[in-house]
Amino acid sequence: MTATDTAADRRALPHPAREEIRLEPVLHALSDPMRLRIVTDLAEAEGELSCSHFDLPVAKSTSTHHFRVLRESGVIRQVYRGTAKMNGLRRDDLDALFPGLLDALLDAAARQAVRLGD
Amino acid sequence: MTATDTAADRRALPHPAREEIRLEPVLHALSDPMRLRIVTDLAEAEGELSCSHFDLPVAKSTSTHHFRVLRESGVIRQVYRGTAKMNGLRRDDLDALFPGLLDALLDAAARQAVRLGD
DNA sequence: CGACTCGTACGATAACCATCGTAGTACGGT
DNA sequence: ACCGTACTACGATGGTTATCGTACGAGTCG
């Protein structure tokens, strides 16, 4: 370890590189209501949110699972900051790979929420 | 049955109405490589294609299963025409519900195919 | 009618997945 | 050193799914 290493670096989480992101896993990740909600919240926040910010109606261990699916598919980026784990949308990578897709998906999710009266 | 009934009418298949189509099942349907391929082929054809037109590397019964998932999620419309079953993208319905989504998805699939050298 | 093509239905199977509870680790503050 | 918070790892479980093979039904053409 070098002098620039931080505690957070040593706990780094595996992410797919931009060019490793594939469409099918991304769609699969977003096809779960819980995960789609995480992503829409994240898009609305326009920044990083801690896992505990989300009040999901599932057990904590299930929540961990959903965040991992999103990370491993390349939809979000996760970093440790102290005890918190921060989550951010990989907007730049997704927009570069699939232009317009993320916006269309977020718009679709928002329209559906309106349609269903939420 | 009335005088306007045809043989095809009597073998009608259940489809979700436009307003019953939900985003999550659509994304789930498209998250399978086999089904995504069916949809991109269908979009390229700009019309209806019979099931047998697709030369999928799976058993016939598996193929039937994938077409049903696409139909029940609202992505495609299926009608019988004689012995053949024709498949068409529900472009109008999807565009009305989720503007830009289908195009973004098809573009994403095409870009990924190029990226992977297919 | 008989043969053929196209697609379905059904049962089986193996893999996957969402969920949980429990036990544990890492960090920050007292 | 100790406690509390935040999150994870693991094992279990029940539900869903992708796949197959075989047997069948519906339509077309000879």
Side-chain angles (χ1 to χ4, degrees), chain B residues 3 7-8 10 14 19 22 28 33 46-48 53 59 71 74 100 104 108 115 117:
Chain B
R10 267 168 264 132
E19 61 275 11
R22 307 245 305 129
H28 174 246
E46 299 220 12
E48 293 185 333
H53 169 272
R71 169 170 49 82
R115 183 154 55 96

Side-chain angles (χ1 to χ4, degrees), chain A residues 34-79:
Chain A
M34 212 72 67
R35 294 193 289 257
L36 186 57
R37 173 171 154 187
I38 290 173
V39 169
T40 55
D41 283 9
L42 229 35
E44 205 174 329
E46 299 221 12
E48 293 186 332
L49 294 177
S50 70
C51 288
S52 56
H53 169 272
F54 299 88
D55 193 24
L56 302 175
V58 290
K60 274 195 305 180
S61 49
T62 305
S63 195
T64 296
H65 160 71
H66 286 309
F67 279 106
R68 178 168 37 193
V69 172
L70 286 170
R71 169 170 49 84
E72 292 181 345
S73 67
V75 177
I76 67 172
R77 193 179 295 280
Q78 295 190 294
V79 295

Side-chain angles (χ1 to χ4, degrees), chain B:
Chain B
M1 99 182 177
T2 73
T4 56
D5 272 1
T6 67
D9 288 339
R10 267 168 264 132
R11 285 174 74 198
L13 294 157
H15 290 76
R18 173 184 289 191
E19 61 275 11
E20 287 168 350
I21 297 177
R22 307 245 305 129
L23 181 57
E24 293 91 335
V26 168
L27 296 182
H28 174 246
L30 297 176
S31 70
D32 182 280
M34 213 72 68
R35 295 193 290 257
L36 187 57
R37 173 170 156 186
I38 291 173
V39 169
T40 55
D41 283 10
L42 229 35
E44 205 174 329
E46 299 220 12
E48 293 185 333
L49 293 176
S50 70
C51 288
S52 55
H53 169 272
F54 300 88
D55 192 25
L56 302 176
V58 290
K60 272 194 308 179
S61 48
T62 304
S63 195
T64 297
H65 160 69
H66 286 308
F67 279 106
R68 177 167 36 193
V69 172
L70 286 170
R71 169 170 49 82
E72 292 181 345
S73 66
V75 177
I76 67 172
R77 194 178 297 280
Q78 294 191 294
V79 294
Y80 284 104
R81 286 226 219 294
T83 74
K85 192 185 201 174
M86 305 303 290
N87 303 276
L89 254 189
R90 292 183 67 173
R91 208 176 242 291
D92 49 348
D93 292 320
L94 294 173
D95 283 347
L97 288 170
F98 310 124
L101 180 60
L102 186 57
D103 285 335
L105 281 166
L106 292 170
D107 181 63
R111 281 170 186 267
Q112 173 169 274
V114 169
R115 183 154 55 96
L116 300 179
D118 171 51

